[in-house]
């Protein structure tokens, strides 16, 4: 059987980049970026399957783990870190792990992604079980850290999925739900921090946002469980209450202060 086409390594549609003026460079990047959302739309059925499986497991106390290396790992950590303040979830329900550990968030750790066993060791530190879900993120679909992690997780009975930019890559063969977003060659050949990374960010937004909606962390279209960790968010929560309860700003602010969340204030008011 012939090897799959490594789309993320195909030559850019643009050449002689160093001779372009600034406007041409930016327009070229923008033209490529326009293709990303359409590519994501193609894989919505796979994303939906993952979200539905996640919601069932969350109801049983399960957790969502993202595992990745480099840009992909950082994007998983970013998405996970935004869930507690945005939706008021505990920090231990959506967790991002990357090759090289936390120090690799800011500075690359040499060869960390080449260890096929480390991801499973990292996951075991959290006591993973069959209610948990593991999503491996790798633009190339060949990262050993990610492939090894999902292989072992699947063998242990966990739900496994991946987000990649190479359809048919080895990673897609090791998971139950493969989300493979074909964004085409990068503007700078092989620079997967660009379109590939953008597509991953979009997919992760969709996964976590849809999950939070399905488990009741949104009411109407409002983040009623957000953490009131700064003045901007207190003001936002107050305005939510003004709109929903038809009361004045001062009364809404007093309710929010008393009950600590938009949802708590709304339930108490009723």
């Amino acid at each position: 059987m012939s090897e799959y086409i490594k789309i993320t390594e195909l030559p850019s549609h643009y050449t002689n980049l160093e001779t372009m003026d600034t406007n041409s460079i930016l327009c070229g990047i923008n033209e490529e970026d326009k293709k990303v959302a359409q590519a994501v739309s193609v894989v919505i059925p796979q994303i939906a399957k993952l979200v539905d499986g996640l919601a069932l497991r969350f109801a049983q106390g399960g957790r969502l783990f993202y595992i990745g290396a480099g840009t992909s790992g950082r994007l998983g950590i970013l998405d996970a870190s935004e869930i507690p303040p945005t939706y008021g979830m505990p920090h231990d329900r959506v967790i991002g792990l990357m090759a090289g550990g936390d120090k690799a968030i800011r500075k690359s750790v040499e060869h960390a992604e080449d260890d096929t066993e480390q991801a499973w060791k990292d996951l075991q530190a959290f006591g993973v079980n069959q209610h948990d879900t593991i999503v491996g993120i790798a633009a190339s679909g060949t990262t050993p850290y990610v492939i090894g992690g999902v292989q072992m997780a699947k063998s242990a009975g966990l739900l496994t999925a991946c987000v990649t930019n190479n359809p048919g890559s080895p990673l897609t063969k090791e998971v139950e739900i493969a989300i493979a977003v074909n964004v085409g060659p990068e503007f700078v050949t092989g620079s997967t921090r660009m379109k590939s990374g953008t597509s991953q960010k979009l997919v992760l937004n969709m996964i976590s946002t849809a999950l939070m909606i399905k488990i009741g962390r949104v009411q109407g279209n409002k983040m009623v469980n957000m953490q009131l960790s700064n003045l901007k968010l207190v003001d936002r929560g107050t305005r939510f209450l003004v709109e929903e309860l038809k009361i004045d700003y001062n009364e809404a602010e007093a309710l929010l202060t008393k009950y600590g969340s938009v949802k708590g204030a709304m339930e108490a008011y009723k």
Side-chain angles (χ1 to χ4, degrees):
M1 187 173 70
S2 61
E3 185 181 17
Y4 73 97
I5 298 173
K6 296 179 180 178
I7 293 167
T8 55
E9 296 298 325
L10 292 178
S12 170
H13 296 309
Y14 304 77
T15 190
N16 299 322
L17 303 185
E18 71 278 11
T19 68
M20 290 182 175
D21 61 49
T22 303
N23 191 68
S24 296
I25 293 171
L26 299 178
C27 286
I29 293 171
N30 182 242
E31 282 302 311
E32 291 304 303
D33 285 344
K34 290 176 183 177
K35 303 174 183 178
V36 176
Q38 181 59 42
V40 170
S41 73
V42 175
V43 298
I44 286 177
Q46 288 74 44
I47 301 172
K49 184 177 180 181
L50 172 58
V51 171
D52 287 340
L54 266 169
L56 289 173
R57 285 161 177 78
F58 252 64
Q60 299 171 319
R63 297 162 294 176
L64 166 60
F65 289 87
Y66 294 129
I67 59 172
T71 297
S72 297
R74 294 182 186 101
L75 287 170
I77 288 171
L78 173 62
D79 194 73
S81 70
E82 292 175 340
I83 299 306
T86 307
Y87 297 106
M89 293 293 292
H91 285 81
D92 62 356
R93 297 302 299 278
V94 181
I95 299 166
L97 302 173
M98 71 177 293
D102 287 351
K103 62 183 178 181
I105 296 172
R106 292 184 178 273
K107 187 176 181 180
S108 176
V109 176
E110 190 173 359
H111 298 305
E113 70 174 55
D114 297 329
D115 189 332
T116 59
E117 298 181 1
Q118 188 59 49
W120 184 238
K121 293 177 183 176
D122 293 343
L123 289 164
Q124 285 183 304
F126 289 86
V128 289
N129 60 68
Q130 293 182 359
H131 297 309
D132 296 326
T133 300
I134 312 301
V135 177
I137 314 167
S140 67
T142 59
T143 307
Y145 176 87
V146 177
I147 291 176
V150 298
Q151 283 177 331
M152 295 180 202
K154 186 177 180 181
S155 295
L158 284 70
L159 175 63
T160 57
C162 73
V163 180
T164 182
N165 298 99
N166 275 333
S169 60
L171 179 58
T172 65
K173 304 297 199 315
E174 301 295 341
V175 298
E176 294 173 63
I177 304 171
I179 301 168
V181 189
N182 181 358
V183 296
E186 298 287 359
F187 180 76
V188 176
T189 299
S191 182
T192 53
R193 61 181 289 269
M194 301 183 78
K195 286 191 298 181
S196 296
T198 300
S199 73
Q200 291 172 7
K201 179 68 167 70
L202 293 178
V203 171
L204 298 184
N205 280 348
M206 294 169 80
I207 292 168
S208 57
T209 302
L211 174 62
M212 291 300 111
I213 292 170
K214 290 186 71 67
I215 66 172
R217 308 305 288 185
V218 173
Q219 187 167 327
N221 57 15
K222 304 292 194 302
M223 298 176 289
V224 294
N225 291 283
M226 64 183 176
Q227 293 179 354
L228 305 174
S229 55
N230 58 49
L231 293 175
K232 177 190 72 175
L233 296 179
V234 171
D235 174 66
R236 180 186 295 163
T238 301
R239 289 185 287 104
F240 283 175
L241 291 174
V242 169
E243 180 181 338
E244 292 295 323
L245 303 180
K246 312 303 181 188
I247 56 179
D248 66 36
Y249 190 95
N250 289 337
E251 184 179 1
E253 187 174 34
L255 276 173
L256 191 61
T257 300
K258 181 177 180 180
Y259 293 102
S261 72
V262 174
K263 187 172 185 177
M266 291 176 66
E267 291 175 347
Y269 191 82
K270 294 175 182 178

